[in-house]
Amino acid sequence: MALDTTHMDYFKQLLGEENAKIDSLHKLAYSYDATRESREPDMVLFPRDEKDISDILKYCNTHLIPIVPRGAGSGFTGGSIAADGGIVLALEKHMNKILELDTKNLIVRVQPGVINKDLQNFVESHGLFYPPDPASENQSTIGGNVSENAGGMRAAKYGITKDYVMAIRAVLPNGNIIRAGKKTIKDVAGYNVAGILIASEGTLAVISEITLKLIAKPKITRSAMGIFDTIENAMNAVYKTMASGVTPVAMEFLDNLTIRAVESKFNKGLPIEAGAILITEVDGNLEEEIQYQLKLIESRFKENGCVEFKVAKDSKEGQDLWFARKNASQSISIYGKKKLNEDITVPRAKLPELLEKIGEVSKRYGFKIPCFGHTGDGNVHTNVMVEDLKDLDKGHEAITEIFKIAVMLEGTLSGEHGIGLAKAPFMNLAFNEDEMNLFRSIKSAFDPNNILNPNKMGL
Amino acid sequence: MALDTTHMDYFKQLLGEENAKIDSLHKLAYSYDATRESREPDMVLFPRDEKDISDILKYCNTHLIPIVPRGAGSGFTGGSIAADGGIVLALEKHMNKILELDTKNLIVRVQPGVINKDLQNFVESHGLFYPPDPASENQSTIGGNVSENAGGMRAAKYGITKDYVMAIRAVLPNGNIIRAGKKTIKDVAGYNVAGILIASEGTLAVISEITLKLIAKPKITRSAMGIFDTIENAMNAVYKTMASGVTPVAMEFLDNLTIRAVESKFNKGLPIEAGAILITEVDGNLEEEIQYQLKLIESRFKENGCVEFKVAKDSKEGQDLWFARKNASQSISIYGKKKLNEDITVPRAKLPELLEKIGEVSKRYGFKIPCFGHTGDGNVHTNVMVEDLKDLDKGHEAITEIFKIAVMLEGTLSGEHGIGLAKAPFMNLAFNEDEMNLFRSIKSAFDPNNILNPNKMGL
């Protein structure tokens, strides 16, 4: 149901005119995410606190008004876009405070609108460490990270957002405020509601506060790069290294197309003939640990066709090694106007087969498909590059093929971007009707009137 | 509804007489768990495979027959006891196979009836490691561990069962078979159904297969013990050590009463005047790492009143150090006929206050309350010892006080034992009515007819 002026007046009264916007500038600014798809909401609301969220949701629930929670809008699948009008509930403006740093228990408590990198910097200034580092870390909010279960480069060793969420406060569509989880490492009282709110893409409740686990920051980190003649060798090296008893912080890769793209843009002297490069990082508190890990990685790499292994001498050289990886995404735009990027994930040992089959799709459809990403946890960013926009449908066919391959290899449609709008049409590749019906029952248990971020995730 | 002979005949036909039992011996054997409370089911069924589970559930769902899944029955809260008759679905007899060890991806796939220790031994024989080690490891099954989210000694470093569950196959009450999670490190497609099945105590679905993450086994482990004059000093040492950048595998404690109990039973030369002892273990692949960790722990301990710090010279000495901890539970029976044992958990820095307040409860009620347990993650096994059974009600009052203290200190009713029947009356101390109603909605989304393990968890 669309908003009428009575509804708009209610919200203006509740939040003040400055926090209840219907002008075209606000509607445009809050209409899109990183997919670049744009759908305008009828109104943008800026709640000041949890009570505002509760009042807003209660009203929406009574009047059946769709409402979409939003952090920075940096998502890749349209999760924070209002699919069918209604309200965007923007949490980054007021609800962006770090509420408590508990150094005795290694815990931090934040509002959902805190930016990931701000949190990282804050806790690091106290000698602590919040590992999840999605590529969007400078923009994306912790609320968004939790809602999509964001990953990042360090996931190979340190896991993903879900591994750091201890407790959540959230507002249900009926306005009830609930607490889920505890400040304790263990808690088995009641259902794991925090666990199901993570990655629920704002469809079950609005998260109003998050308690996160921190760890002590390791004293030493060191980066290294391996150059491989073929991508198959590189992918074998990844899973054999990870299975051999060493757990690097990161184990990232760039394929030949990506290497060439970065080199053509930045002239960094990258090995443009290489089939792939792997960039890795290890950490620890002792130099001996660092050396032990690097030696193990080097020998696994070399056993698997690594033609050159370079260890960074210092953090400056380390940054140089990471430059190519950090600029991969923007560089590959040389291959086409439209980038259809997906973040399929497979069990690591299936990486060689995955990359081989993506190569076949590239040949069959005639698109360049540069790949890079988080091979340490089997997560590959595949980019179908469409040069001529009239080929977009064919591009989507290629993407569908790639999804089918991922599922066939016991993988998933998404390692970290979520489903949102963009991947909703593919849910039936991964889930059968019984499973989809269970998702719908869960949705209904939290949100019986279907007001919260409706029409997402293929529900 | 009780089972009539038509129902019984159906199950005998479905599974064969040998797998559908109504004799009094079977009904007695499957009537209790480690709480020693006994409630007889009307029938005990031994499904042979997932299809049997599906057929049984479908029938129960149609005929509204209560059904309770059960592993080893070693739980501490009555989770696997048939509260109101009906069927016990015993999974340990046939569904106890290790289905697949995937050494390339460090994954193992098992049926729910596999015994925890058998799994540990199996994967260790391949150089791999499954860390969760509940005290019941020699009896309890992986299905039970998942259903209660079991912890153990190694949780301080390695986390608990939930941290190792990658995927679950389960049968819904309507007989539908669903898959939840993937063999991938990351997976954000669809709701986290595996996450909510963990610790759901068999109330949402029957788990038919579990895929677990393994890690490489560290090459070296070393144990150490610290003796403290007061329990307050010991508790301060725990949280200050854990916050200082070292993560021991285990950080366990015994209070004075527990030390005396073990000593009186086994004469091991334990320091019976000590306020508490802490027993810890570190691991790694290099001797330097081991030394680094032990030095850090020793200095934190000594800064906090540790009067003696002993490092085990070898694994024999290590076992000696652990002897007291492993025999704590059985030894304290000298203090009373009935042991009311609970596993409250608080944020680690609240341990000193928790133990102080438990001491006050002990004085006020006149019960000895020996405490020991997993202080490394704030999890304390508190044991209200009732000598005269006519004081049992008073004992329960003391327990209620202790629960209130735990909740006041931002802790939880249960770190690893679950709620089941035993703690159901205390759920309202930890959750408000809105939160309980959300649990009921979730229960209903999975099990609309309330046939699966009904009347548990205070729902």
Side-chain angles (χ1 to χ4, degrees), chain A residues 376-447:
Chain A
D377 38 52
N379 186 190
V380 173
H381 293 306
T382 56
N383 304 274
V384 174
M385 305 304 300
V386 180
E387 239 171 316
D388 192 330
L389 291 183
K390 75 171 170 34
D391 291 333
L392 211 51
D393 283 352
K394 219 175 84 183
H396 283 117
E397 277 175 48
I399 282 288
T400 308
E401 287 295 309
I402 290 169
F403 282 142
K404 285 184 185 164
I405 292 163
V407 171
M408 188 195 72
L409 297 174
E410 299 184 81
T412 172
L413 302 178
S414 176
E416 44 188 31
H417 295 170
I419 300 300
L421 285 172
K423 297 194 189 185
F426 306 107
M427 283 291 273
N428 64 352
L429 297 177
F431 299 100
N432 64 35
E433 202 46 32
D434 293 339
E435 290 156 351
M436 289 303 296
N437 282 334
L438 179 61
F439 293 156
R440 290 181 191 113
S441 299
I442 293 169
K443 166 73 170 161
S444 209
F446 283 79
D447 181 18

Side-chain angles (χ1 to χ4, degrees), chain B residues 13-29:
Chain B
Q13 186 116 35
L14 181 71
L15 303 172
E17 298 258 352
E18 68 281 17
N19 292 316
K21 296 292 188 184
I22 51 169
D23 59 285
S24 56
L25 216 61
H26 273 92
K27 292 203 290 196
L28 179 64

Side-chain angles (χ1 to χ4, degrees), chain B residues 29-73:
Chain B
Y30 288 86
S31 72
Y32 62 87
D33 72 353
T35 58
R36 303 286 162 207
E37 186 164 345
S38 169
R39 301 201 197 175
E40 289 197 3
D42 300 307
M43 193 167 202
V44 181
L45 300 181
F46 300 101
R48 295 157 302 185
D49 53 25
E50 193 176 63
K51 170 139 193 339
D52 277 350
I53 299 176
S54 173
D55 289 340
I56 293 165
L57 285 180
K58 211 179 295 172
Y59 188 89
C60 289
N61 200 39
T62 306
H63 299 276
L64 304 179
I65 300 165
I67 177 161
V68 182
R70 179 185 168 100

